[in-house]
Amino acid sequence: MTYIGIDFHKKYSVASSVDESGRIVKEGRIEGNTKAGFERYFGSLGFPCKVVIEACWNWGYIFDLLEDIPQVQEVILANPYKTRIIAEAQIKTDKIDARTLAQLLRAGLIPQAHIPSQPVRQRKNILRQRQYWVRMRTKLRNRVHALLDRQRGLEMPQVTDLFGSKGKAALKVARLPEPDRDLLGQDLEVLNALDKQIRENENYLREESGEDIELLESIPGIGRVLSQVISAEIDEIGRFPTSAKLCAYAGLVPTTHSSGGKEYHGKLLSKCNKWLRWAFVEAAWVAVGCSPYFGSLYRHYRSLGKPGNKTIMIAARRMCQIVWRVLSEKKPYEERMFLENNPGCSQSRLAV
């Protein structure tokens, strides 16, 4: 068996191969990251290979490419947050990184990252593209509000949504001085294009369905889009043995430092799935307004003097626990009241 570590970049990759004794067999540079270039490198070895790459920029392309090469027996994805021997090296080059990965693979010391299937990765790309467009749309809407606020004596009709059909019609005929009128026209044109792209992404997502998505939609605050995000980012609930593991993966627990009998809790975990944390926080804000359970939970911790941003994180963490239980037991959510007068019961009444 030959163990190969690959340090890949946008335009090239560096590979280092070692045998079972740790002796370097071959090292090389693959220009262009083409399949033909990788096949030439692996073909010259003549042995079955195990390959390791780090889960960083565009790893899915290299992973799929390597899996199609006959000599490659297994491709392992390394967690870059945990390969600290590479990140903290004082002498760091592409060749040294590839050698270190190969030696860690030979010793069985690679901290592996989860590998979603190709359909799941494609769905994640669509969801993240939609979120990117939505954030751009929000920034653009804020620019429109700022543009209108600097107008003196401008009278706009009262509408529920300024960017709905009636609001946009009023914006088109609004009498603004130059150059603000042209700027508003540009903003509205880009907003219409963004709305079209978002609708196209959502139309694709409507075709996706499954048991997990239906279970997630039974939870207050989780609609069609957020259920898709949570399902795709979790992928397989079985890889989280406890709800605490899922909460840590979503970054909904604080950092902890304990030494000498003293314990300190700091900010939320930074090395986490930020897309999943965003989804739980967004769902929690909706749930506290429409669910008696989450509403009473929120009011209880606010009454204890906790600020709103910390209280919503408590609600998001509780929702994450509920999601783990709903997906693990394959049972839909069942609303139960949170006992505000007896907070000690809150841990055992997870509203499912």
Side-chain angles (χ1 to χ4, degrees):
M1 180 65 66
T2 305
Y3 304 93
I4 303 175
I6 295 179
D7 185 50
F8 68 91
H9 300 269
K10 186 175 182 179
K11 296 182 179 180
Y12 69 92
S13 293
V14 175
S16 179
S17 308
V18 299
D19 58 19
E20 294 185 353
S21 65
R23 183 177 59 87
I24 297 176
V25 176
K26 182 181 180 181
E27 292 181 333
R29 178 175 169 132
I30 298 94
E31 297 291 346
N33 290 330
T34 62
K35 186 176 181 180
F38 279 105
E39 285 179 338
R40 283 194 298 270
Y41 179 87
F42 287 102
S44 62
L45 294 173
F47 298 99
C49 308
K50 283 188 178 182
V51 184
V52 59
I53 59 174
E54 283 190 303
C56 45
W57 177 84
N58 210 17
W59 64 266
Y61 166 76
I62 300 293
F63 180 87
D64 294 336
L65 187 150
L66 293 173
E67 276 205 322
D68 291 338
I69 297 177
Q71 291 87 355
V72 177
Q73 188 179 84
E74 183 182 6
V75 183
I76 295 174
L77 191 65
N79 188 332
Y81 289 140
K82 296 183 178 180
T83 52
R84 300 183 63 86
I85 192 173
I86 294 176
E88 297 178 355
Q90 294 187 14
I91 301 177
K92 191 175 186 301
T93 65
D94 296 339
K95 187 177 291 186
I96 292 176
D97 290 352
R99 287 177 186 171
T100 304
L101 285 173
Q103 295 291 356
L104 289 174
L105 178 62
R106 181 184 68 86
L109 298 176
I110 291 292
Q112 295 189 35
H114 175 66
I115 304 174
S117 64
Q118 194 171 43
V120 172
R121 277 183 270 147
Q122 291 173 349
R123 191 161 73 251
K124 281 185 180 182
N125 291 336
I126 295 172
L127 287 162
R128 292 175 180 181
Q129 178 87 327
R130 180 196 174 276
Q131 289 171 259
Y132 177 76
W133 294 138
V134 170
R135 289 174 181 175
M136 286 190 63
R137 183 176 65 180
T138 300
K139 292 180 180 180
L140 199 55
R141 287 179 175 180
N142 291 337
R143 289 187 63 84
V144 173
H145 281 296
L147 187 149
L148 295 177
D149 289 342
R150 65 174 175 254
Q151 307 304 318
R152 295 183 179 180
L154 177 65
E155 294 184 2
M156 294 289 294
Q158 296 295 323
V159 292
T160 305
D161 182 8
L162 182 61
F163 301 99
S165 57
K166 292 183 179 180
K168 285 184 177 180
L171 289 172
K172 287 181 180 178
V173 298
R175 296 181 178 179
L176 303 180
E178 297 295 345
D180 285 348
R181 180 173 177 80
D182 287 339
L183 295 178
L184 180 60
Q186 294 173 8
D187 291 341
L188 293 177
E189 185 177 352
V190 177
L191 276 174
N192 290 331
L194 289 174
D195 287 335
K196 179 182 177 182
Q197 297 299 327
I198 293 170
R199 284 194 300 270
E200 289 180 0
N201 293 148
E202 291 176 347
N203 288 335
Y204 179 87
L205 296 174
R206 288 191 185 98
E207 300 174 1
E208 298 289 333
S209 61
E211 183 183 8
D212 287 353
I213 293 175
E214 293 177 1
L215 290 171
L216 290 170
E217 289 180 355
S218 69
I219 302 173
I222 299 180
R224 191 63 176 175
V225 173
L226 290 181
S227 65
Q228 294 273 359
V229 174
I230 293 172
S231 175
E233 297 298 337
I234 291 176
D235 193 11
E236 300 172 3
I237 194 63
R239 64 193 184 101
F240 301 100
T242 64
S243 61
K245 295 288 186 181
L246 180 59
C247 290
Y249 178 70
L252 295 172
V253 296
T255 56
T256 302
H257 300 276
S258 179
S259 179
K262 295 182 180 180
E263 190 171 273
Y264 169 76
H265 296 286
K267 297 180 180 180
L268 294 177
L269 295 175
S270 59
K271 296 178 176 62
C272 65
N273 188 319
K274 293 178 173 59
W275 302 95
L276 191 57
R277 179 161 69 186
W278 168 84
F280 279 125
V281 172
E282 290 293 313
W285 277 118
V286 177
V288 298
C290 68
S291 166
Y293 174 79
F294 283 100
S296 59
L297 178 72
Y298 182 83
R299 291 190 299 272
H300 169 71
Y301 284 101
R302 287 289 283 154
S303 68
L304 297 179
K306 290 188 178 294
N309 60 339
K310 290 187 177 180
T311 305
I312 205 64
M313 286 299 175
I314 294 173
R317 183 162 61 248
R318 183 61 56 85
M319 181 171 289
C320 184
Q321 294 169 346
I322 292 172
V323 164
W324 179 85
R325 190 164 171 182
V326 163
L327 294 179
S328 297
E329 298 182 1
K330 301 297 181 183
K331 292 181 180 179
Y333 173 87
E334 178 186 344
E335 184 80 13
R336 297 180 189 172
M337 286 301 296
F338 175 81
L339 302 182
E340 294 187 53
N341 297 328
N342 189 2
C345 296
S346 61
Q347 296 297 330
S348 60
R349 298 177 66 81
L350 284 181
V352 289

